[in-house]
Amino acid sequence: MFAQVIGETTCGIDGVKIVVEVDVTNGLPGFDLVGLPQMSVKESKERVRAALRNSDLPFPSTHIVVNLAPADFKKEGSGLDVAIAIGILTSSKFIKQESLDGKIFVGELSLDGSIKKVPGVLSMIIEAKKSGFKEIYIPFDNANEGNLLHDIRVFAVKNLNDLVNHLLGDKMLRPLKSENILQNAHKDYSIDFSDVKGQLVARRALEIAAAGGHSILMVGSPGCGKTMLARRLVTILPPMTEAEALEVTKIYSIVGLLPSRGKLMLERPFRSPHHSISGSALIGGGPVPRPGEVTLSHNGVLFLDELPEFERYTLEMLRQPLEDGEVNISRVRANMSFPSKFLLCAAQNPCPCGYLGDTLKHCTCKPSQITQYQRKISGPLLDRFDMQINLQRVAFKELKDIEPGEPSEVIRERVVSAREKQVERLEQYGLHCNAQMTRREVVKFCQLDNEATKLMERYFAVLQLSARSHDRILKVARTIADLAGEECISSKHLSEAIQLRTSIKS
């Protein structure tokens, strides 16, 4: 007898529908699995066999052929176990084929028949909804991923017996209730900008970076607060929208990094990889490409501490993600695109010893060492930082000041107000912040008055700016004007943007 069941797996960060075809015929006992299954899928034969028997469900002692369509797509993971088991029971006439209409089954089977958690369930639910399916059955431990979407019934199942009883109509399961994923979106951070002493220029630069989504490079001697400031950047970013929260949760579900019980990613991600990271781990890769740190930082912050210590080849891979907001990876098995709209924040010392330009300690590096150290960051990559600022050491008087600095909550209110202006202005172009503007939007929304135009013309020649630098300065100036609540970019906004762009060259 023939049966057809719909399952799902993942490809990149998206769900992929798999048609599980099962044919049970008379003949010598056997179990053939075809359709380009990888090793984890091939091993499902033994898991399914043991799970059915230990659940007191029939397993035919005849010849079984299971085909996973489409046959030219390589299947990975263990999430097709449940669909295969249901297919065998249906082809044995234990379950009626009509009871499977409009349903998708996802989950890994344990030998005792329990259904185990699998990664990427949220992506599968999104794909099921897109494809018009009415119901999807997922592992119980993935339940917190199942209540995020409306207009599709999601059932969280503990074991194979519960699922079979539901399909037979003996003991019905209740679908999960969808919820507003932003109802508990407020995040109380353990760190705050009020902890920072001094560094007024850096605080201002980070506020501008957060308001416009601009990349920023901080250069300063050891202990001046670069890392401390960077870690607090995420506390002043605007709360994620529902679409952004779903995107981030989907990515972390795919790579298996959701917290236990599938907690939602309601706060913006902050990723800080070690400088020994490989190019594949940073950008993404592998035989079947997997997301890297730039994708795990999507809608959040990617912080690269000690920037010159990273391999130059690895850093050069950041050029495309910074320009395009996505990573395109081509392999023999697959071509995939991963989203990578992140705020890049980097920090470095000015020289190998760290004290070049310091007000108290003398630099002991030779000029050749300083030149070699600074050349580790290529000009094209440096040109992609919207702001490049110097930090000086904090004075003793500032460090001992008992008055707390401005808290993150107050700064965040200004950032949110500026972002709202940008969304209103750019939403029709599919953009959400000034840093995402292309040349077309820069020409339209970054008009300068006469005084600002003359100032830009003078500095363009003096600083030998590239066309990219010119546009990035205008984007930062647009954000500064938004923070000030002004529609027109004046010379004071442009002057601050130029200073924040060129301060480390002085």
Side-chain angles (χ1 to χ4, degrees):
M1 291 295 295
F2 173 80
Q4 183 174 287
V5 183
I6 307 300
E8 269 198 275
T9 185
T10 58
C11 180
I13 61 170
D14 297 316
V16 178
K17 184 182 74 172
I18 302 296
V19 179
V20 179
E21 299 174 331
V22 182
D23 185 52
V24 176
T25 58
N26 294 327
L28 293 175
F31 195 157
D32 294 327
L33 187 59
V34 297
L36 285 184
Q38 297 300 296
M39 185 55 67
S40 58
V41 182
K42 289 179 180 178
E43 291 174 346
S44 67
K45 294 190 293 185
E46 302 307 320
R47 291 194 296 270
V48 169
R49 190 196 309 269
L52 288 172
R53 288 178 175 170
N54 291 326
S55 301
D56 293 326
L57 294 169
F59 185 85
S61 57
T62 54
H63 190 70
I64 304 171
V65 178
V66 176
N67 177 47
L68 307 177
D72 60 346
F73 171 72
K74 296 192 180 211
K75 292 83 181 175
E76 291 194 340
S78 55
L80 294 172
D81 288 6
V82 172
I84 293 173
I86 295 299
I88 292 174
L89 292 173
T90 305
S91 63
S92 303
K93 297 186 177 181
F94 191 79
I95 296 175
K96 293 182 179 180
Q97 179 71 59
E98 305 82 59
S99 65
L100 308 182
D101 292 344
K103 299 179 175 64
I104 288 184
F105 302 90
V106 174
E108 175 188 334
L109 284 175
S110 181
L111 299 185
D112 63 356
S114 58
I115 300 177
K116 300 173 69 174
K117 181 179 180 180
V118 294
V121 163
L122 180 56
S123 297
M124 299 179 197
I125 298 173
I126 292 173
E127 176 60 28
K129 182 181 175 182
K130 273 187 194 175
S131 300
F133 286 88
K134 301 300 182 183
E135 296 181 5
I136 182 169
Y137 296 80
I138 64 173
F140 184 80
D141 287 340
N142 289 109
N144 282 347
E145 297 174 62
N147 53 13
L148 305 182
L149 299 179
H150 305 273
D151 302 325
I152 184 169
R153 285 156 56 91
V154 182
F155 295 84
V157 189
K158 292 183 178 180
N159 56 62
L160 197 54
N161 275 324
D162 288 349
L163 177 56
V164 171
N165 288 333
H166 172 81
L167 295 175
L168 293 175
D170 295 337
K171 187 177 181 181
M172 304 302 291
L173 298 171
R174 291 185 179 180
L176 298 173
K177 292 182 178 179
S178 58
E179 62 180 31
N180 178 9
I181 66 174
L182 301 181
Q183 62 183 353
N184 298 316
H186 180 69
K187 172 71 175 177
D188 292 323
Y189 293 96
S190 58
I191 54 178
D192 195 276
F193 258 92
S194 61
D195 304 328
V196 179
K197 302 295 183 181
Q199 300 297 6
L200 295 181
V201 173
R203 289 170 63 100
R204 170 65 173 169
L206 289 175
E207 179 179 341
I208 296 169
H214 301 291
S215 54
I216 181 171
L217 172 64
M218 297 182 288
V219 181
S221 56
C224 67
K226 302 185 296 293
T227 303
M228 183 181 186
L229 284 160
R231 292 191 180 280
R232 283 155 178 76
L233 177 56
V234 74
T235 68
I236 62 173
L237 289 173
M240 284 197 290
T241 64
E242 183 173 341
E244 288 175 330
L246 278 174
E247 279 184 317
V248 173
T249 306
K250 173 180 171 180
I251 292 168
Y252 277 71
S253 173
I254 284 286
V255 297
L257 289 180
L258 282 181
S260 61
R261 304 295 294 176
K263 296 293 184 183
L264 301 178
M265 302 293 295
L266 294 177
E267 63 271 8
R268 294 187 182 272
F270 179 89
R271 304 292 297 182
S272 180
H274 192 261
H275 56 73
S276 62
I277 190 173
S278 67
S280 294
L282 181 64
I283 302 299
V288 177
R290 301 275 291 172
E293 290 292 333
V294 295
T295 302
L296 294 175
S297 307
H298 183 60
N299 291 331
V301 176
L302 175 63
F303 175 49
L304 302 182
D305 203 2
E306 305 297 343
L307 189 65
E309 301 303 327
F310 286 79
E311 291 288 339
R312 181 172 177 138
Y313 172 75
T314 301
L315 289 178
E316 293 306 304
M317 291 182 177
L318 289 171
R319 292 193 199 179
Q320 186 214 358
L322 286 172
E323 288 293 322
D324 301 338
E326 66 177 9
V327 177
N328 299 308
I329 301 176
S330 297
R331 294 291 185 270
V332 174
R333 296 184 183 181
N335 297 320
M336 297 184 187
S337 294
F338 299 131
S340 58
K341 293 178 181 177
F342 56 90
L343 194 164
L344 177 61
C345 179
Q348 69 171 78
N349 295 328
C351 65
C353 78
Y355 295 104
L356 178 65
D358 191 78
T359 55
L360 296 179
K361 289 194 176 183
H362 178 67
C363 175
T364 59
C365 301
K366 298 178 182 178
S368 60
Q369 291 176 313
I370 297 174
T371 301
Q372 183 180 9
Y373 183 80
Q374 294 177 346
R375 279 182 177 174
K376 291 183 178 180
I377 313 301
S378 70
L381 180 60
L382 195 63
D383 202 38
R384 284 169 167 80
F385 283 99
D386 295 347
M387 292 181 283
Q388 305 162 15
I389 62 171
N390 266 324
L391 275 71
Q392 298 297 329
R393 65 167 63 241
V394 180
F396 179 81
K397 181 180 179 182
E398 293 175 320
L399 194 61
K400 292 302 179 182
D401 187 1
I402 61 174
E403 289 295 325
E406 192 175 31
S408 295
E409 185 176 358
V410 175
I411 302 173
R412 187 167 58 246
E413 289 177 0
R414 295 197 295 267
V415 168
V416 169
S417 178
R419 280 284 183 107
E420 288 174 349
K421 296 182 178 69
Q422 295 166 43
V423 169
E424 183 179 353
R425 183 188 305 128
L426 301 170
E427 192 172 21
Q428 59 180 316
Y429 302 98
L431 308 177
H432 303 94
C433 62
N434 289 334
Q436 297 174 359
M437 287 192 293
T438 64
R439 178 64 183 163
R440 179 183 62 175
E441 290 81 45
V442 169
V443 171
K444 185 173 183 178
F445 298 115
C446 298
Q447 295 291 330
L448 305 176
D449 60 25
N450 291 334
E451 185 179 354
T453 301
K454 293 177 182 178
L455 179 66
M456 189 66 187
E457 183 179 4
R458 182 166 69 250
Y459 274 101
F460 188 86
V462 171
L463 299 173
Q464 299 179 342
L465 298 176
S466 66
R468 181 189 291 118
S469 297
H470 169 271
D471 286 357
R472 288 181 180 270
I473 287 174
L474 291 182
K475 292 178 188 179
V476 174
R478 176 70 268 168
T479 300
I480 294 171
D482 288 338
L483 282 168
E486 300 179 16
E487 283 299 320
C488 184
I489 300 176
S490 65
S491 57
K492 65 178 180 180
H493 304 140
L494 185 62
S495 297
E496 185 177 7
I498 293 172
Q499 184 180 17
L500 291 173
R501 171 79 181 184
T502 60
S503 64
I504 69 169
K505 298 178 182 178
S506 59

